[in-house]
Amino acid sequence: MDPDRRSDLDHLTRHLIRYGGTFQPFIAERASGSFVEDASGRKVLDFTSGQMSAILGHCHPEIVEVVTEMIGRLDHLFSGMLSQPVIDLAETLGTLSPSLSKVILLTTGAEANEAALKLAKSATGRYEVVG
């Protein structure tokens, strides 16, 4: 992309829709630790990325190493198939709470909320939810 057009938000958002707000006038090129950086080298302290980045930092070396190794071995499976790392994770998580020995691994908060509602309905036999 032409460097002069990198900061032209009108051009960059021609094909993008932002639900619930506007895009920031910052185009991230790379990230490390708690900072994201644009093409000009301007660093911004990242308080917004959440999930792993907020806890571990962007591009944490151990995470990069494991992800690099696994993407070369096994990058995606149908959710009905298992791999040893998934089994190991479930076993580890299943030992953290004596009364909760099973886990369900989901991708998003929406999936987690839907699963929680379905499990609650199944466990109680009821169907109404107050939110």
Side-chain angles (χ1 to χ4, degrees), residues 10-17:
D10 290 335
H11 169 76
L12 295 171
T13 60
R14 180 175 299 153
H15 302 289
L16 294 169
I17 295 172

Side-chain angles (χ1 to χ4, degrees), residues 15-86:
H15 302 289
L16 294 169
I17 295 172
R18 170 79 167 103
Y19 174 76
T22 59
F23 288 105
Q24 297 301 308
F26 180 87
I27 309 302
E29 283 285 320
R30 64 193 65 80
S32 180
S34 298
F35 291 88
V36 291
E37 187 176 335
D38 68 8
S40 71
R42 186 178 85 171
K43 290 184 177 181
V44 174
L45 183 57
D46 184 6
F47 287 108
T48 62
S49 290
Q51 300 162 340
M52 290 189 316
S53 297
I55 297 169
L56 303 172
H58 290 279
C59 304
H60 189 285
E62 291 179 44
I63 302 297
V64 170
E65 180 183 347
V66 170
V67 168
T68 301
E69 176 192 342
M70 287 308 299
I71 200 80
R73 280 194 357 211
L74 184 62
D75 63 347
H76 180 75
L77 288 175
F78 160 65
S79 61
M81 292 182 177
L82 294 172
S83 64
Q84 194 60 50
V86 170

